[in-house]
Amino acid sequence: MLKTLKDIDLKGKKVFVRVDFNVPVKDGVVTDDTRIREALKTIKYVTDNGGFATLATHLGRPKGEKNPKYTVKPVADHINGKGYFKAVFVDDCIGKSVTEAVNNQKQDTVLILENLRFYPDEEKNNPEFSKNLAAPFDVYINDAFGTSHRKHASVYGIPSVMQNKAAGFLLEKEALYFDRLLQAPEHPFSAVLGGAKVSDKIGVIESLLERADNILIGGAMAYTFLKYKGIGVGKSLVEEELLGTVEKVLKKAADKGVEIALPVDHIVSAEFGGAPEVCGVQDIPADRMGLDIGPKTIESYKKMLSKSKTILWNGPMGVFEQPAYAEGTFAIAKYAAELDATVVVGGGDSVAAVNQAGVSDKISHISTGGGASLEYLEYGSLPGIDILRG
Ligand code: AMP
């Protein structure tokens, strides 16, 4: 069982909350605070229940060095500017300044520690560093799903040495949906996979072959499958070195009775960014490249999804960043959102796609972690979540 916030007595406790405030900062100003707003429920719960909250995050890639470019201070300023809560910035994440700030903390304030990744020990999961991070606190909460696939000190090291630990609300929701998807999905279970590369998703495909009833493939990864089948792919993106892997996947799918659906038509162009044309047949001419699934494929994928009770979607159906090649992705997003099914969307690009399609509020669960959601599906759990299971 995953311990959650509600299982912990927070009254009077000093609570370390690992958040994901890795937000975009430009010229010292936070330009998108979605991740901050998403964590407010957990933070508010800690303070409302008498806990003294201290937040810790990484920001950018300072590569283990103190670098003012990646300071967390603008995040604290932003929070105070918006009035989300009273934030007090602490200019380190371990040591004297943290101990003093925690000891003098008022209950209506929330401390925000400096960037964890200013220390190389964070990513190395150095046990001494973990002990130093944990020292001032009674309770550990992880609400940073996006880094929970990493065995870092703040995600894995601290909960290894602290008894009183639990998942925050964001992490709890992610675990709930992914565990259900992996362990007891309602059937038919369809997976829609797209994006640039088969190689990035091979572990996920393997895992889904054990669980899903059908896998609908789009995006550039479809062309490696089509090429293996001897179908013309023209100048489309193909991973030649994965043709052998595709062969194994297709064989395993046939053995397991999992249907792998591939595009039957395409939106093509002579070049990346060129004028879009419908290619009404499965074979793409030698001088064209496939950049989106075509209208017949959209209809056949919709038909397959119409029967599904569970849908996992990872990766766009085409180069959706360009409106000329976005129709396939948006059509699938809008259709999936209307179905009476549990729909889980994972991965940065698919999340952007459901947001742009304007249907995010109709999706059962939108994962906050790209790499983390892929690893969850591949390995069945994540180190940062496993360490909180009692
Ligand atoms: P991923 O991060 O693997 O989910 O890949 C997402 C990227 O795949 C997006 O930037 C898309 O533009 C790209 N993509 C999707 N379909 C195609 C395609 N047919 N050709 C080239 N790139 C594609």
Side-chain angles (χ1 to χ4, degrees):
M1 276 292 286
L2 183 65
K3 279 226 271 173
T4 67
L5 260 180
K6 293 188 175 161
D7 299 319
I8 301 262
D9 175 16
L10 296 161
K11 197 159 175 46
K13 299 286 194 310
K14 293 165 181 150
V15 186
F16 180 103
V17 188
R18 175 52 158 109
V19 289
D20 181 359
F21 283 177
N22 183 26
V23 291
V25 177
K26 199 164 183 283
D27 302 326
V29 177
V30 173
T31 54
D32 177 352
D33 75 353
T34 311
R35 286 182 170 162
I36 298 171
R37 284 184 283 108
E38 281 172 346
L40 292 177
K41 192 175 161 198
T42 290
I43 299 162
K44 194 167 159 17
Y45 184 88
V46 173
T47 49
D48 284 356
N49 285 277
F52 291 76
T54 295
L55 314 180
T57 185
H58 70 283
L59 184 88
R61 292 173 189 241
K63 303 204 172 106
E65 280 172 22
K66 291 189 182 173
N67 180 341
K69 194 173 157 209
Y70 298 111
T71 176
V72 176
K73 180 149 190 312
V75 174
D77 293 343
H78 179 87
I79 288 167
N80 285 327
K82 289 277 178 187
Y84 292 147
F85 51 81
K86 274 193 222 165
V88 175
F89 176 70
V90 183
D91 66 359
D92 209 334
C93 63
I94 51 168
K96 208 165 145 237
S97 55
V98 181
T99 317
E100 273 174 13
V102 171
N103 288 339
N104 297 320
Q105 185 175 3
K106 299 209 176 66
Q107 215 261 321
D108 67 340
T109 63
V110 174
L111 305 180
I112 302 190
L113 305 185
E114 183 55 291
N115 199 333
L116 291 157
R117 292 193 189 164
F118 279 2
Y119 290 88
D121 296 334
E122 160 67 0
E123 289 178 79
K124 286 186 190 145
N125 189 25
N126 180 323
E128 269 313 303
F129 181 68
S130 297
K131 273 190 214 153
N132 288 335
L133 281 171
F137 302 99
D138 307 308
V139 174
Y140 169 84
I141 302 295
N142 180 2
D143 218 17
F145 179 74
T147 40
S148 292
H149 56 314
R150 311 251 184 239
K151 277 192 170 176
H152 290 172
S154 65
V155 174
Y156 195 77
I158 311 180
S160 305
V161 294
M162 279 181 81
Q163 290 306 314
N164 228 348
K165 57 197 170 188
F169 292 123
L170 278 178
L171 202 75
E172 182 187 1
K173 185 168 179 246
E174 297 271 7
L176 182 83
Y177 275 95
F178 282 108
D179 285 349
R180 197 191 293 166
L181 208 72
L182 289 159
Q183 289 157 21
E186 208 183 334
H187 290 275
F189 174 9
S190 300
V192 183
L193 296 182
K197 291 180 175 174
V198 183
S199 50
D200 289 345
K201 305 212 171 141
I202 194 67
V204 173
I205 297 175
E206 297 268 355
S207 166
L208 290 168
L209 287 174
E210 306 291 335
R211 298 174 167 88
D213 299 293
N214 46 56
I215 303 179
L216 287 54
I217 297 194
M221 59 188 276
Y223 306 114
T224 305
F225 278 81
L226 291 172
K227 171 133 193 189
Y228 168 76
K229 292 195 141 193
I231 291 157
V233 294
K235 299 193 290 180
S236 309
L237 206 63
V238 167
E239 286 175 281
E240 297 284 345
E241 66 288 3
L242 282 190
L243 293 172
T245 307
V246 164
E247 179 176 14
K248 282 188 210 136
V249 166
L250 291 175
K251 183 168 180 319
K252 195 164 173 194
D255 290 347
K256 300 251 170 208
V258 178
E259 184 181 354
I260 302 234
L262 296 170
V264 290
D265 64 345
H266 319 270
I267 301 297
V268 299
S269 184
E271 64 205 355
F272 200 81
E277 302 159 18
V278 177
C279 168
V281 293
Q282 204 171 23
D283 279 289
I284 295 176
D287 59 352
R288 294 286 186 270
M289 60 176 71
L291 294 164
D292 192 10
I293 56 173
K296 282 190 232 163
T297 309
I298 294 177
E299 286 317 307
S300 93
Y301 282 10
K302 279 189 189 173
K303 204 164 162 207
M304 287 178 80
L305 293 177
S306 67
K307 302 186 197 89
S308 307
K309 283 285 159 214
T310 304
I311 298 170
L312 165 75
W313 183 16
N314 188 296
M317 297 289 95
V319 183
F320 80 104
E321 297 93 335
Q322 299 191 29
Y325 322 125
E327 178 55 26
T329 302
F330 290 163
I332 298 295
K334 286 181 187 152
Y335 189 72
E338 294 305 327
L339 292 172
D340 177 22
T342 301
V343 181
V344 176
V345 176
D349 279 316
S350 339
V351 175
V354 290
N355 285 333
Q356 282 175 34
V359 295
S360 50
D361 55 337
K362 293 189 184 155
I363 303 287
S364 319
H365 179 61
I366 299 179
S367 179
T368 52
S373 67
L374 289 176
E375 289 202 21
Y376 210 132
L377 292 167
E378 182 171 353
Y379 300 112
S381 190
L382 299 178
I385 293 180
D386 270 345
I387 197 89
L388 305 175
R389 294 192 203 265

